[in-house]
């Protein structure tokens, strides 16, 4: 049985609404990508250098990092030689397999680490405008659905209107937001929030921070301090440090992942704005080089548009049209 | 490159090797692969068979061609904002979520008021993102500039109509419309933008694009341009370490100029875009021109000459030192300055060097705690004076000692330098500060 069919079987076994949502959200990404893969296969009947060069470009067009693409395509060249693959259609499953391999994280580490005895603290970090506050609102909703008591900490005290933005989300979802005035010390907000959340008996505390570009040393130091204060108050915390990445971002996402990992030891990625035409392929490179798993993807502006990341679904989404063609 | 040195003509193999490098550099800079392909083909055509100029090696010749082509593609001149014949000039900001429209709207208003003597006002038409209106109102308050808003229940088309009317009634010559971020493929929301456009016929539609955008930048720019016919682009977050290849992609597919660049989170950090400099940034060559220009506008030449004379005689006082510090500070954060020096990013130690602006604050505090006499003649310094200064500046005696030592070293160095200089170039004005013409 071909790899595609196996993949499809595994995926169709989990046809709940969540999977549908994931699929629908990825519609545009999938359409354009698999269309291109198909036309690539149609254009080059045989697997030759031109085929590989265009494949290279196709993957680069999905923002998969340049280095990762070169590596991947080299691997495919070897594999094609080894298995004596001549027809371009036959190499598509191998491409898909290699991609899934790189996205598939061992075990269940795309699930969030929760504190077994006490309050779980999750810190959100990232550059400006990636969707940290929105993601927190959505994740608060996600937790509330499973009857957790959630409190939000308005740690973006810098950007105008950021505190109000989180407050609106708090109202929408129906959870408390701990905040201080604009311009106050974000570490102090966290200190306050932890104590307030404790006294309210919260299970989950989601901490917002101001967006910052990773090359601003002082701002990264400030973030380290925020984390230290959290750690001092709850020694096992933060249980997750989630880096929010915009799927539209190109190669710079790698630099973001590196710098934020260094400063705050990022434990997972939330890939936002995947409902557009951007592919977010850079997560492949990030997983490759830094081994940070993707935990959630943002697929729209509504409260329930945040979905747990499923590597198989993600790749299946990219290749779905091809799977169906193969079966015809 | 070493291999192809010293040849008289650029041959195909040379070009192939060079263009491979160029291709990778551009792809790594996030230039769209289609744009890269066209670009590389043009380079190949132009470069092969060219006579190598006397002063250049084939490698340099190819780089020269690359640079010329890049500059041409980016456009050579700065672009201006249109002005309506009959005020108010209406500027509409559009773009994806999180690109920085609201911040840019406020920065642009500030820029037009400060640099172009306009009397702008803002209109908050983002009714979708929570607290977007609060954000613009807060920025308006900071700038002391009127903001028209009408809650989140109204239709954005009505809001911009009413906003423009208010600008007319109150004789504002410029009105900037902030719209909600939206996906370029969201038909209904793109339709809404078109309705807004039809309602108020803006003089400028500016597409706000995050400088870190990857390959998708072409799709975004193409869609927005096709549906709205944008007039220009604002590239935001260019103070990051992205190479900003999106700029090139957008230029190539829309042929619309990039007019402004967002260079930081502060309200005055919006600058006219310099296309010719972006070319070298994308290729990774540093931004020397920016640095020179920054220094030129900020350093008072008279003062610099005075200082130069003092340096030559090594009778520099702490007052001069303080003035010097102020001038350096007015050029913006030191980190920014360092980032613009080509190669500084690669230099060992400099790359992760943390320029601590608070250290400058400390030095300033110490100097300001000195008496007039002490500033002129550091030799007056004794233990009790040092204690007083430390106390007055909130530092320690060690800090004071350190500064005194550094200052002394500096004076010695200057003496040495100026004697060398005057020795070499007699009568030619002696030492030149790096930021003087």
């Amino acid at each position: 049985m071909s790899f595609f069919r196996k993949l499809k079987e595994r995926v169709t076994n989990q046809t709940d609404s969540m999977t549908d949502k994931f699929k629908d959200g990825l519609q545009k990404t999938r359409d354009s990508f698999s269309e291109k893969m198909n036309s690539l296969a149609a254009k080059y009947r045989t697997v030759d250098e031109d085929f590989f060069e265009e494949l290279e470009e196709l993957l680069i067009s999905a923002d998969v990092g340049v280095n990762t693409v070169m590596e991947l395509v080299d691997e495919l060249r070897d594999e094609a030689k080894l298995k004596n693959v001549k027809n371009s259609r036959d190499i598509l499953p191998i491409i898909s397999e290699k991609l899934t391999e790189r996205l598939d994280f061992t075990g269940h580490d795309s699930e969030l680490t929760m504190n077994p005895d006490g309050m779980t603290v999750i810190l959100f970090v990232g550059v400006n405008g990636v969707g940290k506050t929105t993601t927190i609102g959505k994740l608060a909703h996600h937790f509330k659905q499973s009857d957790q008591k959630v409190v939000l900490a308005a740690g973006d005290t810098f950007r105008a209107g950021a505190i109000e933005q989180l407050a609106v989300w708090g109202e929408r979802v129906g959870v408390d937001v701990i905040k201080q005035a604009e311009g106050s010390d974000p570490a102090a907000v966290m200190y306050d929030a932890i104590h307030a959340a404790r006294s309210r008996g919260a299970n989950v505390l989601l901490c917002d921070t101001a967006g910052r570009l990773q090359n601003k040393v002082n701002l990264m130091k400030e973030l380290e301090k925020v984390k230290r204060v959290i750690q001092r108050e709850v020694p096992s915390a933060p249980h997750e440090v989630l880096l929010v990445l915009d799927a539209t971002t190109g190669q710079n996402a790698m630099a973001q992942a590196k710098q934020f990992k260094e400063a705050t030891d990022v434990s997972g990625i939330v890939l936002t704005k995947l409902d557009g035409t951007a592919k977010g392929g850079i997560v492949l490179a990030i997983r490759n080089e830094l081994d940070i798993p993707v935990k959630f993807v943002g697929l729209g502006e509504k409260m329930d548009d945040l979905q747990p990341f499923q590597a198989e679904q993600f790749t299946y989404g990219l290749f779905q049209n091809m799977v169906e063609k193969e079966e015809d | 490159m070493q291999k192809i040195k010293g040849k008289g003509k650029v041959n195909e193999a040379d070009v192939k090797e060079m263009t491979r490098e160029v291709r990778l550099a551009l792809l790594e800079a996030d230039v769209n692969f289609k744009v890269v392909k066209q670009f590389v083909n043009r380079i190949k055509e132009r470069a092969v068979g060219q006579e190598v100029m006397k002063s250049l090696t084939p490698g340099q010749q190819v780089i020269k061609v690359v640079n010329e082509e890049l500059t041409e593609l980016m456009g050579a001149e700065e672009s201006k904002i249109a002005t309506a014949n009959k005020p108010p000039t209406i500027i509409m900001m559009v773009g994806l979520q999180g690109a920085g429209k609201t911040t840019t709207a406020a920065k642009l208003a500030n820029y037009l008021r400060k640099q172009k003597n306009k009397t702008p006002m803002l209109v908050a038409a983002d009714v979708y993102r929570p607290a977007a209106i609060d954000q613009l109102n807060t920025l308006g308050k900071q700038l002391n500039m009127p903001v028209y808003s009408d809650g989140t229940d109204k239709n954005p088309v009505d809001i911009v109509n009413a906003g423009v009317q208010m600008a007319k009634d109150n004789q504002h010559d410029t009105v900037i419309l902030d719209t909600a971020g939206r996906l370029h493929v969201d038909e209904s929301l793109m339709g809404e933008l078109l309705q807004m456009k039809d309602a108020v016929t803006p003089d400028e539609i500016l597409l706000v694009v995050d400088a870190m955008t990857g390959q998708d930048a072409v799709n975004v720019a193409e869609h927005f341009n096709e549906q709205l016919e944008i007039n220009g682009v604002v590239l935001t977050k260019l103070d990051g370490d992205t190479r900003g290849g999106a700029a090139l992609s957008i230029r190539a597919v829309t042929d619309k100029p990039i007019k402004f660049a967002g260079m930081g989170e502060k309200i005055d950090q919006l600058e006219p875009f310099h296309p010719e400099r972006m070319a070298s940034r994308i290729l990774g060559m540093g931004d020397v021109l920016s640095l020179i220009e920054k220094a030129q506008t900020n350093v008072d030449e008279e003062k610099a000459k005075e200082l130069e004379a003092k340096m030559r005689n090594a009778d520099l006082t702490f007052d001069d030192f303080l003035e010097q510090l102020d001038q350096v500070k007015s050029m913006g954060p030191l980190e920014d300055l360092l980032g613009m020096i080509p190669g500084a990013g690669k230099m060992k130690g400099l790359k992760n060097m943390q320029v601590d602006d608070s250290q400058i604050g400390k030095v300033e505090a110490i100097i300001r705690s000195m008496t007039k006499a002490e500033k002129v003649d550091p030799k007056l310094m004794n233990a009790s004076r040092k204690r007083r200064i430390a106390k007055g500046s909130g530092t320690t005696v060690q800090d004071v000692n350190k500064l005194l030592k550094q200052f002394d070293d500096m004076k010695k160095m200057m003496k040495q330098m100026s004697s060398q200089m005057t020795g070499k170039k007699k009568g030619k004005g002696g030492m030149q500060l790096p930021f003087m013409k």
Side-chain angles (χ1 to χ4, degrees), chain B residues 207-387:
Chain B
L207 175 64
V208 182
V209 182
D210 187 325
M212 297 178 278
T213 310
Q215 298 285 323
D216 206 38
V218 268
N219 289 330
V220 175
E222 246 167 6
H223 272 86
F224 272 97
N225 191 37
E226 261 166 33
Q227 296 186 41
L228 296 166
E229 260 184 79
I230 60 167
N231 301 84
V233 174
V234 181
L235 210 56
T236 61
K237 308 177 206 174
L238 204 56
D239 52 326
D241 53 12
T242 178
R243 301 255 293 278
L248 197 66
S249 306
I250 294 167
R251 260 308 283 203
V253 299
T254 65
D255 204 29
K256 294 290 159 65
I258 295 167
K259 299 199 170 181
F260 289 96
M263 298 302 295
E265 297 196 56
K266 291 196 199 84
I267 205 110
D268 59 352
Q269 289 177 317
L270 182 79
E271 295 175 5
F273 182 75
H274 301 285
E276 73 284 0
R277 293 176 202 173
M278 195 65 203
S280 67
R281 173 167 176 164
I282 290 171
L283 274 179
M285 295 200 285
D287 206 346
V288 201
L289 279 170
S290 284
L291 181 64
I292 294 171
E293 192 176 80
K294 234 180 186 169
Q296 273 171 356
T297 54
N298 281 304
V299 175
D300 187 325
E301 290 217 17
E302 281 289 295
K303 277 186 185 164
K305 272 198 189 122
E306 235 171 75
L307 191 69
E308 187 200 348
K310 280 185 171 168
M311 278 184 175
R312 256 203 311 261
N313 304 328
D315 55 5
L316 190 75
T317 68
F318 271 113
D319 278 315
D320 305 324
F321 191 61
L322 209 55
E323 218 164 73
Q324 180 76 358
L325 268 185
D326 277 341
Q327 296 208 336
V328 172
K329 270 193 351 193
S330 69
M331 284 156 71
L334 282 176
E335 267 169 279
D336 289 3
L337 291 177
L338 273 178
M340 285 182 216
I341 302 170
K346 282 181 192 150
M347 254 186 256
K348 253 192 195 157
L350 259 188
K351 186 167 186 191
N352 290 316
M353 186 173 117
Q354 175 199 344
V355 182
D356 196 348
D357 283 327
S358 72
Q359 279 299 326
I360 298 185
K362 217 181 207 178
V363 168
E364 252 183 317
I366 293 174
I367 299 177
R368 290 196 201 281
S369 301
M370 294 176 185
T371 64
K372 271 185 189 162
E374 286 165 348
K375 282 184 202 163
V376 178
D377 186 8
K379 288 198 189 75
L380 283 174
M381 236 35 103
N382 58 26
S384 118
R385 282 176 190 264
K386 283 179 194 166
R387 267 200 304 279

Side-chain angles (χ1 to χ4, degrees), chain A residues 28 53 56-57 60-61 63 66-67 70 127-129 158-161 164-165 168-169 172 182 211-219 221 246 248-252 255-256 273 275-278 301, chain B residues 23-24 27-28 30 33 37 96-99 128-131 134-135 138-139 142 181 183-185 189 210 212-216 219-220 237 239-242 263 265 335-336 353-357:
Chain A
K28 283 170 195 101
E53 190 167 305
E56 233 171 68
E57 280 171 357
I60 282 169
S61 77
D63 282 321
V66 177
N67 289 336
M70 300 299 164
V127 300
N128 317 64
F158 182 80
R159 203 202 74 206
E164 288 91 334
Q165 190 180 347
V168 172
W169 272 106
R172 265 190 205 172
E182 200 180 302
R212 64 203 74 216
L213 294 175
Q214 71 277 9
N215 60 339
K216 310 271 167 180
V217 177
N218 292 339
L219 294 180
K221 285 253 149 48
D246 183 334
T248 0
T249 306
Q251 307 285 304
N252 196 251
Q256 291 171 24
K273 311 185 198 174
D275 48 333
T277 46
E301 288 193 305
Chain B
R23 176 174 179 253
L24 279 180
L27 286 174
E28 268 163 14
D30 284 325
F33 73 97
K37 202 167 194 172
L96 298 181
Q97 290 96 339
Y128 302 109
R129 179 168 59 101
D134 291 330
Q135 185 182 355
T138 307
L139 292 168
Q142 277 172 26
L183 284 171
H184 50 293
V185 285
L189 281 181
D210 187 325
M212 297 178 278
T213 310
Q215 298 285 323
D216 206 38
N219 289 330
V220 175
K237 308 177 206 174
D239 52 326
D241 53 12
T242 178
M263 298 302 295
E265 297 196 56
E335 267 169 279
D336 289 3
M353 186 173 117
Q354 175 199 344
V355 182
D356 196 348
D357 283 327

Side-chain angles (χ1 to χ4, degrees), chain B residues 153-216:
Chain B
D153 300 329
K154 291 271 162 54
N155 183 330
V157 182
D158 297 336
I159 293 178
V160 294
N161 265 327
V164 170
Q165 190 54 49
M166 176 177 155
K168 280 178 190 158
D169 294 345
N170 296 322
Q171 267 114 49
H172 288 283
D173 56 14
T174 309
V175 53
I176 300 175
L177 316 176
D178 180 30
T179 66
R182 64 203 72 212
L183 284 171
H184 50 293
V185 285
D186 187 327
E187 276 164 34
S188 69
L189 281 181
M190 289 303 281
E192 184 191 273
L193 276 184
L194 204 57
Q195 280 176 21
M196 284 193 226
K197 181 188 172 182
D198 290 343
V200 298
T201 50
D203 304 282
E204 282 272 351
I205 299 181
L206 294 177
L207 175 64
V208 182
V209 182
D210 187 325
M212 297 178 278
T213 310
Q215 298 285 323
D216 206 38

Side-chain angles (χ1 to χ4, degrees), chain A residues 148-202:
Chain A
Q148 305 271 18
K149 183 159 170 58
V150 186
V151 168
L152 310 181
D156 182 354
T157 56
F158 182 80
R159 203 202 74 206
I163 297 168
E164 288 91 334
Q165 190 180 347
L166 195 71
V168 172
W169 272 106
E171 250 168 63
R172 265 190 205 172
V173 179
V175 299
D176 291 344
V177 179
I178 307 300
K179 55 185 186 223
Q180 291 182 10
E182 200 180 302
S184 49
D185 178 10
V189 177
M190 294 308 163
Y191 178 88
D192 257 16
I194 287 171
H195 289 274
R198 262 201 195 128
S199 66
R200 290 170 205 206

Side-chain angles (χ1 to χ4, degrees), chain A residues 38-205:
Chain A
N38 271 319
S39 66
L40 178 65
K43 192 167 157 197
Y44 299 97
R45 305 233 130 210
T46 52
V47 179
D48 55 13
E49 250 328 284
D50 288 343
F51 173 85
F52 282 121
E53 190 167 305
E54 201 159 326
L55 178 66
E56 233 171 68
E57 280 171 357
L58 184 58
L59 291 168
I60 282 169
S61 77
D63 282 321
V64 178
V66 177
N67 289 336
T68 308
V69 171
M70 300 299 164
E71 256 178 59
L72 193 73
V73 173
D74 280 346
E75 254 176 62
L76 282 168
R77 272 196 196 101
D78 294 346
E79 193 106 359
K81 225 181 247 166
L82 200 74
K83 292 190 176 160
N84 202 18
V85 180
K86 292 258 161 58
N87 191 314
S88 60
R89 289 246 166 241
D90 298 336
I91 201 164
L92 294 182
I94 303 177
I95 297 170
S96 171
E97 198 177 342
K98 286 266 175 258
L99 282 174
T100 318
E101 228 170 66
R102 270 154 208 265
L103 274 173
D104 199 19
F105 293 86
T106 45
H108 289 276
D109 56 3
S110 76
E111 257 168 47
L112 291 177
T113 313
M114 303 297 282
N115 186 2
D117 35 42
M119 183 169 69
T120 302
V121 183
I122 304 179
L123 179 67
F124 289 80
V125 300
V127 300
N128 317 64
V130 287
K132 285 177 295 301
T133 308
T134 309
T135 301
I136 289 174
K138 290 173 178 175
L139 198 61
H141 173 72
H142 175 89
F143 278 122
K144 210 168 173 242
Q145 297 295 95
S146 48
D147 290 324
Q148 305 271 18
K149 183 159 170 58
V150 186
V151 168
L152 310 181
D156 182 354
T157 56
F158 182 80
R159 203 202 74 206
I163 297 168
E164 288 91 334
Q165 190 180 347
L166 195 71
V168 172
W169 272 106
E171 250 168 63
R172 265 190 205 172
V173 179
V175 299
D176 291 344
V177 179
I178 307 300
K179 55 185 186 223
Q180 291 182 10
E182 200 180 302
S184 49
D185 178 10
V189 177
M190 294 308 163
Y191 178 88
D192 257 16
I194 287 171
H195 289 274
R198 262 201 195 128
S199 66
R200 290 170 205 206
N203 315 98
V204 182
L205 175 66

